[in-house]
Amino acid sequence: MRVLALADRPFHADVAKLAANYDVDVILTLGDLQPSWLESLDRCGQAKLGVYGNHDDEPYMTWFGIDNVHLNRIDLDSGVSFSGFEGCVSYRRSGIARVGPSYTQRQARRLVRKLPPADVLLCHCPPRGVNDDPDDPAHIGFEALRDWVLKHRPRYLLHGHVHPQPGSLLTSFGDTRVIYVNGAKVLDLT
């Protein structure tokens, strides 16, 4: 299954053209996306699945027909299942009001109990210790997602949000293949 994954920064290309040029089966959104970057999604007939990021302040998933997989599971006709977790760990923003979803570690722990197992986990913020920055409160990962991934062992975990140091990018965590997305990325999930 070929997917087009989008997260966090402009991709400087028309989404519908990217999807057509790379013959993707599914479009995945991992949050912190501007609606203006997604305008051509209306022309895409592929399945569209996603989660919101902590800077998302408009309901663009509703506008563009993207199925929200936060705490949900969607099984595609191909037999691949997807679930997701939105937002990031809450942190104090100097002079900035809360925009998109964020949760304390305690709130996330309660929510993750409702997260159904799936082949692919989509999340904006990764699990703690997976490409996060423990010294930066804005880019620390969710502890509960770490436990969830080790327990349920999805084949893939796709995330955005963080800014891993060069040479430190984790590509696997336990039995799960980890894929960091920043911009647009075409992937073959087998």
Side-chain angles (χ1 to χ4, degrees):
M1 166 184 297
R2 180 166 285 174
V3 304
L4 172 60
L6 310 168
D8 292 296
R9 71 177 171 91
F11 8 98
H12 306 294
D14 180 272
V15 176
K17 287 180 184 173
L18 279 173
N21 289 344
Y22 289 97
D23 194 28
V24 301
D25 302 299
V26 181
I27 299 170
L28 306 173
T29 62
L30 305 176
D32 287 359
L33 299 166
Q34 296 295 316
S36 61
W37 306 344
L38 304 172
E39 289 175 346
S40 65
L41 274 179
D42 289 345
R43 298 194 312 264
C44 297
Q46 297 91 338
K48 296 172 272 197
L49 312 172
V51 293
Y52 284 115
N54 59 298
H55 293 294
D56 290 326
D57 60 350
E58 298 182 274
Y60 61 78
M61 285 202 274
T62 301
W63 299 342
F64 298 114
I66 302 167
D67 289 314
N68 189 341
V69 295
H70 175 64
L71 303 180
N72 289 310
R73 175 179 163 142
I74 293 181
D75 294 279
L76 298 182
D77 291 340
S78 64
V80 178
S81 58
F82 293 80
S83 63
F85 198 82
E86 69 183 6
C88 76
V89 178
S90 295
Y91 61 95
R92 183 177 205 111
R93 297 170 176 101
S94 179
I96 300 173
R98 181 173 179 257
V99 178
S102 66
Y103 305 100
T104 65
Q105 294 286 8
R106 185 177 185 180
Q107 290 169 325
R109 195 169 22 264
R110 276 188 250 126
L111 287 171
V112 165
R113 290 183 199 140
K114 301 174 187 176
L115 181 61
D119 299 316
V120 181
L121 175 65
L122 306 180
C123 49
H124 179 63
C125 178
R128 185 157 192 168
V130 177
N131 299 324
D132 66 343
D133 184 348
D135 298 324
D136 179 2
H139 294 104
I140 195 165
F142 285 114
E143 294 165 0
L145 273 183
R146 179 182 181 85
D147 297 338
W148 187 94
V149 169
L150 290 172
K151 178 181 179 182
H152 296 288
R153 301 168 38 198
R155 290 190 317 202
Y156 297 95
L157 180 154
L158 280 71
H159 75 88
H161 182 63
V162 296
H163 309 287
Q165 297 295 319
S168 69
L169 191 66
L170 280 181
T171 57
S172 64
F173 179 63
D175 295 331
T176 300
R177 182 168 172 219
V178 176
I179 301 169
Y180 168 64
V181 179
N182 187 4
K185 190 175 270 193
V186 176
L187 307 158
D188 286 311
L189 305 182
T190 54

